[in-house]
Amino acid sequence: PFVTEGITDAKAQLIDPAVNGTSMVLRAAVRAGVQRAVITSSVGAIMGSFKEKKGAFDEDDWNTSSTINSDNGLDLYRLSKKLAERAAWDISRESGLELAAINPSFIIGPPRMARRAGESLSYMRAFLEGRAPPRGDSPVADIRDVARAHILAAEVPGAAGQRFLISTPGAIRIAEISRLLAEQFPN
């Protein structure tokens, strides 16, 4: 779950659901004879803090700074994503299941479902309602690019065993997002 506020028990609210959910789905896939799985991980599995590395992060990196003792909800979320992805790779190695991981940064873009809850939609809703969103400047990934990455990771033979970071090269300023949304939705 993408929860970053109101966390009173990170293990119960974030880590166990992420790790156990990922593990149960992949084990069921193995039992059903699935040959390849593509998981949605997160840039949070790659990096927890910009202080972890000098220069750009890439798919070879793993978050080394997020800990269960953090009082930062976003950091706890990142930890849950790292641990869930690690569990997925363990299952892949143990079972022979081909695996690819998609690691998007903060996902934005047009919703395709009636659901109106969630961090990404709350972020956009805040802008459209004239409020500052709870997140600051952030790297982002367009949902359409993330969807395409999943399809390619499932279809391209060489994608097995790989991680794919989907993100803008740097943080997008909230002022820029606000300006773009104002142009598209003037009222």
Side-chain angles (χ1 to χ4, degrees):
F2 190 2
V3 177
T4 60
E5 295 179 351
I7 300 165
T8 56
D9 183 345
K11 187 169 178 351
Q13 290 172 272
L14 292 171
I15 294 168
D16 287 347
V19 173
N20 295 339
T22 298
S23 298
M24 286 189 284
V25 167
L26 291 178
R27 286 192 178 104
V30 169
R31 286 192 303 275
V34 171
Q35 298 298 306
R36 179 179 296 184
V38 179
I39 63 166
T40 306
S41 185
S42 169
V43 68
I46 290 175
M47 55 85 61
S49 165
F50 288 109
K51 297 174 187 171
E52 287 178 37
K53 181 179 179 180
K54 199 172 203 159
F57 289 87
D58 62 35
E59 291 88 345
D60 292 329
D61 293 311
W62 283 93
N63 176 338
T64 60
S65 65
S66 298
T67 69
I68 191 71
N69 300 318
S70 178
D71 60 358
N72 179 307
L74 186 55
D75 199 46
L76 293 167
Y77 166 77
R78 290 176 181 135
L79 176 63
S80 75
K81 294 304 285 187
K82 175 183 94 168
L83 296 175
E85 187 182 336
R86 289 272 195 201
W89 288 111
D90 289 344
I91 291 167
S92 173
R93 278 188 292 281
E94 294 164 7
S95 68
L97 175 70
E98 290 183 0
L99 183 69
I102 307 301
N103 298 78
S105 58
F106 189 66
I107 298 173
I108 61 171
R112 295 290 181 222
M113 299 172 17
R115 184 181 80 117
R116 297 291 180 233
E119 291 285 325
S120 296
L121 291 174
S122 295
Y123 184 81
M124 291 300 163
R125 188 178 308 111
F127 277 118
L128 295 173
E129 292 173 351
R131 298 180 287 114
R135 297 175 67 100
D137 301 344
S138 179
V140 297
D142 187 300
I143 186 64
R144 294 160 289 198
D145 295 332
V146 175
R148 184 75 179 138
H150 280 80
I151 292 166
L152 291 170
E155 295 177 347
V156 174
Q162 303 295 316
R163 301 168 83 204
F164 298 94
L165 175 59
I166 312 298
S167 181
T168 54
I172 302 298
R173 300 190 54 82
I174 59 172
E176 178 66 6
I177 294 172
S178 182
R179 185 188 67 73
L180 292 170
L181 285 172
E183 285 177 7
Q184 291 295 313
F185 304 98
N187 296 324

